[in-house]
Amino acid sequence: MDNINFIVIAFIFLNGSISVKCQMHEPDELMPEFYAPLENWTVTQGRDIYFTCTVNNLGNYKVAWIKSDSKAILAIHTNLIAHNHRLTVTHNGHNTWKLHVFNVQKNDTGSYMCQINTQPMILQTGYLDVRIPPNILDETDIEGPGSAAMEGGTIRLRCRSTGKPEPKVHWKRKDNRHIVIRSDGAREKQDSAIVKGDTLELSNVHRTDMGKYLCIAKNNVPPTVSKEFNVQIHFHPMIKVTNQLVAAPIGSNVHIQCYVETSPKAMHSWAKINGGDLIPSVKYEMSETPINEYSLQMDLTITSLEPKDFGGYLCIAKNALGKAEGSIRLQELHLPSAPTTTEASPSEPEDEDEEDDESANSEEENLVPVEESIGPDSGGGENRLSSDGFDLRRVQQEQHLSTRKPQRTDQNGGGGGGGGVRHHDQKQRHGSKDSGHRSPCPCWPLVLLATLALLWSLWSRTVPVAGACR
């Protein structure tokens, strides 16, 4: 038996000697060497990477790929050993080998070795760091009393996330209003745009805390993720009426409204006091306008008011926690009647203006002979001109002293008053050339025309006028 053991040991030694002897190389043989170090990678989960191993003077030696932490042989030369469909090995036919890792995952993180089977063996290492974007766990993993509570209670929201590196979590309101943190049982409160931490606790909640809150997780690995929480605060319905007394005349349309605050949602309706509920119709137009998460405006328009429509109206809100009502009284508005005074019809001043225009037109026609009479044959010359200028000033003075109303009264009376004056004026205009002056004219257009006539006379002094004053 001892002889057998000795033979085995001798055989092993001999084989070892042979093996060592086979690995020995000539002194002038070049040993393999790495041309460049392996890369270090930091990538986001799901990306593709590769390690490049360039070896000079490889000879008959082999290149192997090994994962350092698990000591698992991934590939030898161009043969893939690991049963992983996301790994491949390529060789350019010269001195470069590549290990490809597709769709990298968290468990791919670690050191990778490119090793050559020399004695002693040589190797180089590269590191793969896989970054994982943040992820917020499902709602089933949220702990706490939930996102609904009675007014004055407590709400605790928890948002747990995963990722590499570990994400940082903060809270904010979706509408960008501040988050109010109240001390339990204390009046002091703090408000802030954001609150850090994976847990948000709201104590002594108020209805203004109702709304949507966002949990945001980020770790500088895109994309940043968020999750929405809907906070509900429950309370008894409340109705506010800004105008409790409304007045409107018969036949008009009247609009009344109420402001309702309620959570959970309530049933809203209108009713008439000492009457039944109102239903939407052509007579009653109803609408609701939301204001925020817990309040809205109720509107009622009553068309073509009748005496039976006056009285009290109720706006009603009812939910699981109770009922609230608001009352509005509608009464008739009596408009003042139009005054009954005896006044002249508005057409009379127009008649006076028309009559004045007619008299002015007739007087303008009567001025034509006067213009023709101031010619060279009159013998007046400049004396005549100065006399006309004096008459014009008298016309202007007497025009301020005279009024049309007495003249109109005399004319209407049929006597010789106003009518006689007008006739006398016309007679004076048609008088002889020896007349010293013309009678006053009650209209300013006559003054303008008389001035134009004087200017025309100056021009006619040197040019004979044919057919003067026949």
Side-chain angles (χ1 to χ4, degrees), residues 237-433:
M238 177 184 296
I239 291 182
K240 299 178 183 178
V241 179
T242 56
N243 194 359
Q244 295 183 337
L245 180 61
V246 179
I250 292 179
S252 64
N253 299 338
V254 66
H255 177 78
I256 57 178
Q257 60 186 13
C258 297
Y259 293 93
V260 182
E261 294 183 1
T262 177
S263 179
K265 298 296 184 181
M267 298 293 295
H268 307 110
S269 60
W270 290 90
K272 190 172 182 181
I273 298 178
N274 300 327
D277 293 340
L278 304 181
I279 59 175
S281 62
V282 177
K283 182 68 175 179
Y284 302 109
E285 299 177 359
M286 305 177 188
S287 64
E288 297 179 357
T289 305
I291 300 175
N292 52 35
E293 294 85 356
Y294 57 87
S295 63
L296 57 84
Q297 174 181 311
M298 296 177 58
D299 297 280
L300 172 64
T301 300
I302 307 172
T303 61
S304 303
L305 284 178
E306 305 175 56
K308 64 179 182 179
D309 295 327
F310 297 107
Y313 289 82
L314 293 176
C315 50
I316 305 169
K318 183 178 180 180
N319 68 2
L321 301 179
K323 177 181 178 181
E325 295 179 349
S327 62
I328 302 173
R329 183 167 184 81
L330 176 62
Q331 65 181 23
E332 182 179 359
L333 176 63
H334 299 280
L335 298 176
S337 58
T340 56
T341 57
T342 57
E343 295 181 354
S345 61
S347 61
E348 290 184 0
E350 297 179 359
D351 296 339
E352 291 180 1
D353 294 339
E354 292 177 357
E355 293 180 1
D356 292 341
D357 294 340
E358 292 176 359
S359 62
N361 293 334
S362 63
E363 291 168 356
E364 291 174 4
E365 294 175 356
N366 295 331
L367 283 176
V368 175
V370 176
E371 294 175 356
E372 295 177 353
S373 65
I374 309 176
D377 298 337
S378 64
E382 295 181 358
N383 293 332
R384 183 63 175 166
L385 178 62
S386 61
S387 175
D388 288 343
F390 176 79
D391 289 342
L392 289 175
R393 288 192 295 271
R394 289 190 57 192
V395 168
Q396 294 173 358
Q397 294 174 358
E398 292 179 6
Q399 182 179 358
H400 291 291
L401 298 176
S402 62
T403 58
R404 297 177 184 175
K405 196 65 175 180
Q407 293 177 5
R408 182 171 179 80
T409 305
D410 294 339
Q411 289 175 7
N412 295 336
V421 173
R422 293 186 66 182
H423 178 71
H424 179 65
D425 292 341
Q426 295 174 3
K427 185 176 181 180
Q428 286 184 348
R429 294 190 189 97
H430 294 281
S432 63
K433 300 176 184 178

Side-chain angles (χ1 to χ4, degrees), residues 119-134:
Q119 289 294 336
M121 67 178 179
I122 58 175
L123 59 88
Q124 59 180 357
T125 303
Y127 191 83
L128 172 60
D129 184 14
V130 179
R131 299 295 181 95
I132 302 175

Side-chain angles (χ1 to χ4, degrees), residues 35 54 216 404 433 436 443:
Y35 178 76
T54 303
I216 301 173
R404 297 177 184 175
K433 300 176 184 178
C443 302

Side-chain angles (χ1 to χ4, degrees), residues 46-234:
R47 298 285 300 274
D48 299 335
I49 64 98
Y50 57 87
F51 291 101
T52 303
C53 185
T54 303
V55 183
N56 294 328
N57 308 318
L58 182 63
N60 295 325
Y61 296 97
K62 303 295 183 182
V63 174
W65 292 96
I66 301 173
K67 195 163 189 297
S68 302
D69 54 355
S70 62
K71 304 298 182 182
I73 300 176
L74 304 178
I76 297 177
H77 203 57
T78 58
N79 299 318
L80 186 65
I81 305 301
H83 298 285
N84 189 340
H85 65 279
R86 295 186 295 107
L87 299 178
T88 61
V89 178
T90 60
H91 178 225
N92 68 349
H94 180 50
N95 63 347
T96 303
W97 286 259
K98 289 185 178 181
L99 174 67
H100 298 266
V101 183
F102 300 100
N103 187 24
V104 296
Q105 300 298 316
K106 182 179 179 181
N107 57 0
D108 294 329
T109 300
S111 297
Y112 290 78
M113 294 190 303
C114 173
Q115 179 178 306
I116 301 175
N117 61 336
T118 59
Q119 289 294 336
M121 67 178 179
I122 58 175
L123 59 88
Q124 59 180 357
T125 303
Y127 191 83
L128 172 60
D129 184 14
V130 179
R131 299 295 181 95
I132 302 175
N135 179 50
I136 298 176
L137 300 181
D138 294 336
E139 190 174 357
T140 54
D141 296 321
I142 302 301
E143 298 179 358
S147 58
M150 292 294 295
E151 195 166 33
T154 299
I155 288 180
R156 185 180 299 109
L157 305 176
R158 186 174 181 182
C159 179
R160 293 188 295 180
S161 62
T162 60
K164 182 183 178 183
E166 184 179 355
K168 295 181 180 179
V169 177
H170 68 272
W171 298 83
K172 63 174 293 185
R173 299 190 70 165
K174 189 174 183 179
D175 57 7
N176 292 323
R177 288 186 293 168
H178 282 194
I179 298 175
V180 180
I181 304 298
R182 301 176 182 86
S183 300
D184 192 10
R187 296 182 178 180
E188 296 183 357
K189 62 181 182 180
Q190 297 178 349
D191 58 348
S192 176
I194 62 172
V195 176
K196 296 180 179 180
D198 58 0
T199 301
L200 176 64
E201 183 170 333
L202 304 175
S203 301
N204 193 23
V205 292
H206 189 264
R207 64 190 64 181
T208 56
D209 298 326
M210 185 182 301
K212 292 179 171 54
Y213 290 71
L214 294 177
C215 160
I216 301 173
K218 62 180 181 179
N219 62 353
N220 296 325
V221 179
T224 299
V225 294
S226 64
K227 188 172 184 178
E228 183 178 293
F229 293 81
N230 189 20
V231 173
Q232 295 290 327
I233 311 297
H234 297 163

